[in-house]
């Protein structure tokens, strides 16, 4: 079950403002697109043997360059990751306004006559670009600061939209040795806006033979010598697309994009930058990179949302895995609820936590859309409704907190916007009579169906082996890798082992010291009847209430630390009801909530103190404590912990601690771990990766010279 989202407020900027912020690159006609296509074809030809091609683009412009990269990609066995850096955040509705105008200017005339005979006409080009534009718009990019990862064609095309100050965005990323940026395209209106430091940050992220191309504002105005010198001083070969196209059309031969290797001094400067980065974050070890010979050497323990999405993210990279689930079906733990709310966690400061959850929520929402819009025969149903989430206060303290969030930032209206009591009633379709904060792209998703759809898609893409009713009792590491021990079987060895087993995350000796706590949650199922059945959005206050699905609403949830049992609790059932009465007092629809059937589901969520999930290398706590004996809280010890990789268990990784917002955070955390395991660029900045690291609680103290 699906529904169109409640659309946010009207576009804030008129078309002229958009043109000023995102100017067209050149005359957007067939002549310009043909020149652009020549350059892009040459790039793909130069790297036709690579399984993954990383490209960078500075500036979004009117979006045609991005769409043209996507259109020109012709090799079905090659994956493309395009990283676009744009200083002015923009949303899907504004993009549509730009693209409608830009595509309308594409003349219905043939491309240059001396191109290949199979070159499409301008009309065909316009049609293809329009289809790609709509596909990207359907992914609903939003005007937030940071990276939004958009995945298309089962992972064949990935677009990272980096919005915000370009220097900040570039410097926040780590160099990816296995998969650096091979080519950069710089849109002309940002050429002069790039700082010298930005040039070097681009160099840091690039292959040593990477090139830069840009577009002269006209055929007669090529790049200035100053511009060329600035980039050559950072080791780049610089080209003008106008000149490349002219040469290609004139001599009918491929144009070489890579003209020379940077000299040794410039290569050394790049390496110094990478070493400085590595030294500054030495305490935060990353996943060991898999070799191509280990296609089936990843084991994942767990049968919930996290493990299923990790298997999917790996499968999109052609990487197989074996998944071990103790139950007869996926999603029987915390992922087993009928409905779960999905919306971002915001903070007044819009800090790393808030920015991470915005990125993660949007990524997860796109995953649901992609899995449910797959071609007929390849779908696994996911019950969901992006009906929005309406957050309201339930007492004076929560009202102050909510007010701080609302007033703390100029939130993009597609993320959230304030509503008064009358608007809240209209959105909910029942009387609430209080103001709130509305998340228009949020809603609810069935978690266990979401997990199953992810694993089914993974099975379609590559070799994934799913072991159901297989409880892993022990894990042990030997020189050849990790072994998994069940009652009757021993599996392994595996080069990499990921613990994504939810409430059992701390069951093994290697993970039992993780600073994470289990919380029991009882969700009540109440019949949809009378006024209550009219509820049209997810309500979030002291507890939550969902719209009806298959005749039932979900109401909850209790929050009991370190529970003694998972049996049904009548007291928690009544507490769930009282939370609604506290949140919306004296509303007649509350009388329609019938708890007599004692219908409920109990699960355990694993929660961290700082609300970030855990994703990354499993810390070797015993070794940390041993080293601590030698390097306690002094100035020297702070330097030691800052510059020394924190001890970890080789080849062991953690993916868990999703808490009560796993629907939002789990898929992106899984995507980032898959990228690490495969040595690919990660769609999170270095600071946020530190916040996700499972060793962070110890390292925060050690880096400050404090006692453990």
């Amino acid at each position: 079950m699906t529904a169109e989202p409640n659309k946010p407020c009207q576009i804030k900027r008129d078309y002229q403002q958009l043109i000023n912020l995102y100017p067209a690159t050149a005359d957007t006609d067939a002549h310009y697109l043909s020149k652009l296509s020549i350059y892009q074809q040459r790039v793909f030809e130069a790297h036709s043997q690579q399984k993954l091609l990383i490209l960078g683009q500075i500036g979004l412009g009117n979006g045609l360059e991005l769409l043209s990269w996507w259109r020109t990609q012709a090799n079905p066995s090659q994956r493309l990751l395009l990283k676009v850096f744009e200083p002015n955040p923009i949303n899907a509705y504004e993009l549509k306004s730009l693209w409608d105008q830009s595509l309308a200017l594409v003349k219905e005339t043939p491309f240059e006559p001396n191109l290949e005979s199979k070159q499409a006409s301008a009309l065909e080009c316009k049609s293809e670009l329009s289809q790609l534009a709509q596909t990207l718009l359907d992914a609903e990019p939003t005007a937030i600061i940071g990276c939004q990862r958009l995945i298309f064609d089962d992972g064949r095309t990935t677009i990272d939209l980096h919005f915000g100050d370009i220097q900040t965005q570039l410097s926040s990323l780590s160099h990816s040795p296995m998969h650096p940026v091979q080519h950069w395209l710089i849109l002309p209106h940002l050429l002069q806006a790039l700082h010298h430091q930005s040039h070097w940050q681009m160099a840091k992220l690039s292959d040593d033979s990477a090139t830069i191309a840009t577009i002269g504002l006209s055929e007669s105005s090529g790049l200035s010598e100053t511009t060329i010198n600035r980039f050559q001083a950072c080791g780049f070969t610089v080209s003008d697309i106008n000149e490349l196209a002219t040469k290609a059309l004139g001599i009918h031969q491929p144009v070489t994009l890579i003209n020379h290797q940077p000299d040794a001094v410039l290569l050394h400067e790049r390496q110094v930058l990478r070493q400085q980065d590595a030294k500054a974050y030495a305490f935060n070890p990353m996943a060991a990179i898999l070799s191509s010979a280990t296609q089936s050497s990843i084991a994942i323990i767990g049968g919930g949302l996290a493990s299923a999405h990790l298997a999917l993210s790996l499968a999109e990279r052609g990487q197989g895995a074996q998944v071990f689930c103790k139950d007869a079906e996926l999603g029987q733990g915390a992922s087993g609820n009928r409905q779960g709310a999905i919306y971002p966690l915001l903070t007044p400061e819009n800090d790393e936590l808030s920015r991470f959850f915005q990125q993660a929520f949007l990524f997860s929402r796109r995953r649901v859309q992609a899995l449910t819009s797959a071609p007929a025969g390849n779908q696994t149903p996911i019950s969901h409704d992006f009906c929005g989430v309406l957050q309201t206060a339930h007492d004076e303290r929560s009202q102050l907190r909510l007010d701080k969030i609302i007033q703390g930032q100029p939130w993009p209206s597609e993320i959230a916007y304030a509503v008064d009591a009358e608007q809240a009633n209209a959105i909910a379709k029942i009387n609430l009579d209080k103001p709130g904060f509305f998340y228009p792209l949020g809603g609810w998703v069935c978690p266990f169906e979401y997990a199953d759809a992810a694993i089914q898609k993974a099975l379609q893409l590559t070799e994934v082996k799913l072991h159901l009713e297989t409880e892993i009792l022990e894990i042990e590491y030997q020189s050849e890798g990790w072994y998994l021990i069940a009652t009757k079987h021993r599996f392994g060895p595996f080069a990499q082992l990921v613990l994504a087993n939810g409430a059992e995350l701390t069951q093994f000796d290697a993970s039992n010291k993780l600073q994470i706590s289990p919380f029991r949650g009882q969700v009540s199922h109440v019949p949809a009847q009378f006024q209550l059945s009219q509820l049209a959005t997810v309500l979030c206050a002291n507890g939550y209430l969902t719209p009806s699905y298959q005749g039932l609403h979900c109401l909850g949830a209790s929050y009991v630390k370190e529970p003694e049992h998972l049996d049904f609790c009548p007291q928690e059932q009544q507490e769930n009801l009282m939370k609604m009465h506290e949140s919306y007092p004296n509303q007649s629809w509350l009388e329609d909530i019938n708890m007599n059937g004692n219908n409920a589901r109990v699960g355990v969520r694993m929660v961290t103190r700082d609300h970030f999930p855990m994703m990354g290398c499993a810390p070797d706590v015993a070794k940390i404590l041993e080293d601590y004996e030698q390097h306690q809280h002094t100035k020297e010890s702070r330097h030691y912990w800052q510059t020394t990789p924190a001890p970890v268990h080789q080849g062991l990784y953690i993916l868990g601690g999703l808490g009560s917002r796993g629907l939002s955070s789990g898929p992106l955390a899984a995507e980032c771990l898959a990228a690490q395991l495969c040595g690919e660029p990660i769609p999170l900045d270095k600071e946020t990766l530190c916040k996700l690291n499972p060793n962070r609680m110890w390292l925060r103290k050690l880096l400050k010279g404090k006692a453990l």
Side-chain angles (χ1 to χ4, degrees), residues 650-666:
Q650 182 176 341
L652 183 65
Y653 306 94
I654 303 296
L655 181 61
L658 304 183
S660 57
R661 291 179 181 265
L663 279 171
S664 292
S665 63

Side-chain angles (χ1 to χ4, degrees), residues 158-209:
T158 299
I159 298 172
D160 282 352
L161 295 176
H162 293 266
F163 289 154
D165 178 74
I166 292 179
Q167 166 66 15
T168 301
Q169 293 296 312
L170 289 169
S171 61
S172 73
L173 302 177
S174 297
H175 171 62
S176 179
M178 280 188 65
H179 299 287
V181 177
Q182 298 283 357
H183 298 279
W184 292 91
L185 174 62
I186 305 179
L187 304 196
H189 67 285
L190 290 175
L191 264 177
Q192 302 305 317
L194 286 176
H195 301 299
H196 183 62
Q197 294 92 334
S198 299
H199 305 158
W200 277 111
Q201 290 299 326
M202 292 168 65
K204 177 192 74 175
L205 300 174
S206 299
D207 183 79
D208 286 342
S209 60

Side-chain angles (χ1 to χ4, degrees), residues 23 52 152 181 244 265 280 367 427 544 553 574 595 624-625 668 694 705:
L52 172 64
F152 303 100
V181 177
L244 289 172
V265 173
R367 275 291 199 210
I427 289 170
Y544 71 93
H553 301 266
Q574 291 305 310
M595 310 289 278
I624 289 176
L625 295 176
L668 181 59

Side-chain angles (χ1 to χ4, degrees), residues 58 184 186 190-192 194-196 198-200 202-203 212 214 223 225-238 266 270:
I58 302 296
W184 292 91
I186 305 179
L190 290 175
L191 264 177
Q192 302 305 317
L194 286 176
H195 301 299
H196 183 62
S198 299
H199 305 158
W200 277 111
M202 292 168 65
I212 284 179
T214 190
L223 299 179
E225 186 174 347
T226 301
T227 297
I228 294 174
N229 290 340
R230 283 191 293 131
F231 286 105
Q232 286 182 341
C234 298
F236 289 108
T237 297
V238 187
L266 297 178
R270 290 187 180 193

